[in-house]
Amino acid sequence: MKEFLTQVGSVYWWMSVVAVGIIINLASAYLKYPMDRYLSTVSVRWRNKSEVRKAEWLRKVRELRADPTEQYMFGIEELRLRLQSFWDVLWGFLGCIVAVLVGDPGNLFGTAPLWNRVVGWVIMLVSSLKLFHGVWSHYRAFEMERMFKESRNVRLEGK
């Protein structure tokens, strides 16, 4: 710490800070136009994708509104996804607990046999995938719920 404070107080350190600041300022001036141009094309693509997704969403809502049988099937699919997400998250957490118990039973510093650690890591990987799939299923069910509620809403035609 004392050496750092000595260096901060030197003229050489301050000159290098000023030089780096000038270089960064010049580089940002030269990179501003290309970055603006690139980000504007990304923004246009993002907006186009968003508009396509919104049109597809509205089309699905109108199809749901037109067919009551499809609404029932849609509700069953949402329920299936919610149950699947619940069980995936539950088994994922239980798997993580088992992975810790198997992979390092009572040994905190890696003194467990190699096969225990390998099995623990495999169980942890599978459990993490189950957790990820559970969260993803829950998100899909949430989106389906939004779509279902919107299909039951009469004000859609005015949009």
Side-chain angles (χ1 to χ4, degrees), residues 4-94:
F4 174 73
L5 292 175
T6 304
Q7 288 179 358
V8 169
S10 71
V11 173
Y12 174 75
W13 190 84
W14 284 105
M15 296 281 286
S16 62
V17 167
V18 169
V20 169
I22 291 171
I23 290 171
I24 289 174
N25 192 11
L26 289 173
S28 68
Y30 283 113
L31 291 176
K32 183 183 181 315
Y33 179 70
M35 287 293 288
D36 284 345
R37 193 173 60 216
Y38 173 73
L39 291 175
S40 69
T41 60
V42 169
S43 175
V44 167
R45 279 187 268 158
W46 184 273
R47 184 175 57 239
N48 291 341
K49 283 182 184 179
S50 296
E51 288 172 357
V52 167
R53 258 187 260 124
K54 175 113 176 145
E56 179 68 20
W57 191 80
L58 288 172
R59 184 189 62 78
K60 286 180 182 178
V61 168
R62 286 188 180 99
E63 286 176 3
L64 274 175
R65 180 175 287 158
D67 189 6
T69 305
E70 188 66 26
Q71 289 179 7
Y72 291 128
M73 297 306 288
F74 203 75
I76 291 170
E77 176 72 11
E78 179 195 348
L79 180 62
R80 184 191 69 79
L81 283 172
R82 290 205 187 270
L83 290 172
Q84 179 182 3
S85 69
F86 170 76
W87 287 112
D88 282 350
V89 169
L90 178 70
W91 285 113
F93 277 125
L94 289 176

Side-chain angles (χ1 to χ4, degrees), residues 97-152:
I97 292 169
V98 168
V100 169
L101 293 176
V102 167
D104 201 8
N107 301 315
L108 297 176
F109 300 106
T111 56
L114 178 63
W115 71 270
N116 274 36
R117 287 183 280 168
V118 170
V119 169
W121 278 106
V122 169
I123 293 172
M124 185 66 79
L125 176 67
V126 171
S127 299
S128 299
L129 291 174
K130 280 299 252 186
L131 281 170
F132 176 75
H133 189 259
V135 170
W136 181 66
S137 297
H138 178 72
Y139 174 75
R140 284 185 51 215
F142 176 73
E143 287 298 314
M144 290 180 80
E145 177 189 12
R146 273 190 42 216
M147 193 178 294
F148 185 71
K149 283 181 178 177
E150 190 65 30
S151 73
R152 310 280 289 177

